[in-house]
Amino acid sequence: MQEITKITPTDYDVMETIKTRWSPRAFDDVPVSESEVKQLLEAGRWASSSYNQQPWRIIYGIKGDAVYDRILECLIPFNQDWAKNAQALLVTAYKKTNFDGDAYFHALHDLGLFMGNFVIQANHNGIAVHQMGGIDQEKAHKEFGFTSDFGIATAVAIGRYGGDPDQLSEDLKEQELEKMRERKKLEEFAFNGNFQSK
């Protein structure tokens, strides 16, 4: 299977590992090892966080182990259908309160920074990552024994680029094969002055 190449029309030059990153739903069947996953977690570990509180908590499973199957069962059926071909799965969670016991307003932001490091390191290593909001948070919370002080954020599928799009449904296959990537223009979200509603 030939690897799908996406076109990323940047207005300013950025690192190649950012330009080539995308989120496939079809993965190559070459395994991703636990040590490879831990390297990505290590990249995330060094993300910045408010007062260095590091609110992220991650559950990971490697295809073939029981944790992988438990994570898969927490995904909504739509995501189960394609994510079952990933070589590793994660559940991401965050601590709701800070060191003082107050609401940790920045926790999801900090978890996002963790995953930003994780994803860029993954792409640098030739590993694909697809993050999902489609997880039963309540089920995952209970399944993995989180206390009330933690919230479930997302699930994450990990594999290698180069999967066969024919393993996907027709509508997902069409998305997978789209060449041109799109994003809002800078002027739609970044303002050198007052906010503008666009």
Side-chain angles (χ1 to χ4, degrees):
M1 179 68 198
Q2 186 175 3
E3 190 170 308
I4 297 168
T5 302
K6 301 284 186 176
I7 299 169
T8 304
T10 59
D11 293 334
Y12 297 88
D13 195 30
V14 299
M15 293 186 301
E16 197 65 19
T17 195
I18 292 174
K19 287 176 68 173
T20 59
R21 185 219 63 80
W22 62 285
S23 304
R25 288 191 172 92
F27 297 100
D28 193 292
D29 59 5
V30 175
V32 172
S33 69
E34 184 170 1
S35 63
E36 287 178 298
V37 172
K38 285 186 174 179
Q39 184 182 19
L40 308 184
L41 294 169
E42 180 72 11
R45 184 167 82 101
W46 291 99
S48 57
S49 65
S50 178
Y51 291 95
N52 197 27
Q53 293 179 86
Q54 304 166 53
W56 45 76
R57 300 295 186 272
I58 311 296
I59 305 294
Y60 71 91
I62 309 299
K63 190 164 192 170
D65 73 22
V67 178
Y68 179 101
D69 295 336
R70 291 167 64 198
I71 295 172
L72 189 64
E73 284 299 312
C74 292
L75 304 184
I76 64 170
F78 172 81
N79 285 333
Q80 285 180 6
D81 191 49
W82 62 265
K84 67 180 184 288
N85 296 312
Q87 296 300 318
L89 293 173
L90 308 181
V91 172
T92 73
Y94 60 96
K95 195 169 189 300
K96 296 178 183 179
T97 56
N98 64 20
F99 288 155
D100 298 322
D102 297 324
Y104 192 170
F105 177 77
H106 307 292
L108 279 168
H109 174 271
D110 294 350
L111 173 58
L113 290 171
F114 175 98
M115 285 307 302
N117 277 19
F118 184 104
V119 166
I120 294 304
Q121 181 68 52
N123 199 58
H124 176 76
N125 293 358
I127 294 174
V129 175
H130 191 120
Q131 300 180 73
M132 300 168 268
I135 180 174
D136 185 330
Q137 279 95 353
E138 185 176 339
K139 183 175 181 178
H141 196 279
K142 182 177 180 181
E143 175 67 29
F144 293 104
F146 281 98
T147 60
S148 60
D149 199 25
F150 288 86
I152 303 298
T154 62
V156 183
I158 302 166
R160 299 190 193 279
Y161 292 106
D164 184 358
D166 287 336
Q167 67 186 263
L168 301 173
S169 63
E170 281 305 310
D171 56 334
L172 292 182
K173 178 181 176 180
E174 185 176 336
Q175 290 178 34
E176 196 86 351
L177 294 174
E178 286 177 358
K179 289 280 190 186
M180 187 65 69
R181 301 176 67 213
E182 295 180 4
R183 289 294 189 275
K184 291 180 179 179
K185 302 297 283 183
L186 290 181
E187 55 268 23
E188 294 183 65
F189 63 84
F191 314 109
N192 183 223
N194 290 348
F195 167 74
Q196 299 171 36
S197 179
K198 294 194 177 192

